Amino acid sequence: MREIVLDTETTGLEAYGGDRLVEIGCVEMVNRILTGNVFHVYINPQRDMPQEAFNVHGLSAEFLSDKPIFSQVADEFLEFIQEDTLVIHNAAFDIGFLNAELERLGRPSIARDRVVDTLALARRKHPGGGNRLDDLMNRYGIDSSRRVKHGALLDAELLAEVYSELLGGRQATLIGLVEESTEAPRLVVEARAAHPRPVPLPARISSSESEAHAAFVAALGEKAIWLKYADAPAAESTAS
């Protein structure tokens, strides 16, 4: 099963109010395993960069000025995602911007039913808790030290790890219930003496079956290993 974990960066929050895409990052997963196949592109939004957006992702209008516009990368992007499932955090935001760009080109929109929203998954799995991407990385012990600013490709890679955890890859740490220890885990086995049964179980072998078994053992010859067990009761009886 092929899935595409996707993230975008934009000039703001209004997909149909003048804001535009400035970065798309995608990573490919097959059977929930990263393949190393990625799609990443910076996009010239053909407008200024508001300071609030720049503070989030650090992409300036000057840096983006020589990058391709969306129409120049649309075919490559659509070829990469094909018709496979898209995994996105807060999917309504990213899909809104992608569809706005596609509609400007007269292209079909991305259907919402092919999208897995990890924010919705997280809210169901951790109701009442923080479910931003940073919150989930902290909950699952995922290293976020590289995430100085938001970046579409890096965030897609980190989201892929979070997605695996949301589907049961590992258990989230229950702070306060698990004590941290620097010692290696040890397997402790408690040895207990076996207590004899107060009343022996009755034999389940009939006399005819016992006689048939004795005849079979006798036919095996003097060196048959079964003779050691067959002679044991007699030897114990003699010794007593």
Side-chain angles (χ1 to χ4, degrees):
M1 177 179 63
R2 184 176 188 261
E3 297 171 295
I4 303 299
V5 186
L6 180 152
D7 188 64
T8 67
E9 299 299 337
T10 70
T11 63
L13 304 177
E14 302 296 330
Y16 293 92
D19 286 313
R20 304 293 295 271
L21 286 175
V22 297
E23 186 183 9
I24 302 173
C26 304
V27 297
E28 180 187 63
M29 298 182 79
V30 175
N31 297 328
R32 307 281 161 77
I33 298 173
L34 287 170
T35 65
N37 193 16
V38 305
F39 173 85
H40 179 234
V41 65
Y42 293 110
I43 300 169
N44 182 352
Q46 299 180 292
R47 55 153 292 168
D48 66 312
M49 181 64 67
Q51 187 64 41
E52 296 84 356
F54 176 78
N55 292 341
V56 172
H57 51 58
L59 302 177
S60 67
E62 180 181 4
F63 171 78
L64 297 168
S65 62
D66 63 348
K67 303 300 183 288
I69 60 176
F70 183 79
S71 62
Q72 294 173 311
V73 301
D75 287 339
E76 186 180 359
F77 167 68
L78 293 173
E79 182 180 354
F80 183 84
I81 66 172
Q82 299 180 38
E83 296 298 323
D84 295 302
T85 298
L86 303 179
V87 180
I88 308 173
H89 199 69
N90 191 17
F93 178 85
D94 302 83
I95 291 298
F97 271 91
L98 288 166
N99 281 343
E101 297 285 1
L102 290 169
E103 288 169 17
R104 293 185 187 104
L105 301 179
R107 300 293 189 88
S109 298
I110 297 172
R112 300 298 177 103
D113 61 4
R114 62 178 286 196
V115 178
V116 174
D117 189 348
T118 51
L119 178 59
L121 288 178
R123 285 172 173 169
R124 287 197 295 269
K125 189 168 184 177
H126 306 293
N131 289 306
R132 298 176 306 161
L133 185 57
D134 283 327
D135 297 326
L136 294 169
M137 287 189 294
N138 289 335
R139 177 177 285 121
Y140 291 116
I142 296 170
D143 181 15
S144 61
S145 59
R146 297 177 294 161
R147 198 177 188 238
V148 179
K149 287 185 179 292
H150 290 213
L153 183 58
L154 174 60
D155 285 1
E157 292 171 347
L158 294 170
L159 180 58
E161 294 187 59
V162 167
Y163 180 51
S164 295
E165 301 296 347
L166 286 171
L167 297 180
R170 290 181 300 179
Q171 292 294 323
T173 300
L174 301 178
I175 299 174
L177 296 182
V178 179
E179 295 182 0
E180 297 292 336
S181 174
T182 58
E183 296 183 2
R186 295 176 297 167
L187 176 64
V188 179
V189 179
E190 181 181 358
R192 295 186 179 182
H195 297 286
R197 186 179 294 275
V199 178
L201 291 174
R204 296 184 179 182
I205 301 175
S206 66
S207 58
S208 60
E209 290 173 330
S210 180
E211 291 172 0
H213 178 69
F216 169 76
V217 171
L220 295 177
E222 297 180 354
K223 296 183 178 180
I225 193 171
W226 276 105
L227 294 176
K228 296 180 180 180
Y229 300 97
D231 294 341
E236 291 175 0
S237 176
T238 304
S240 60

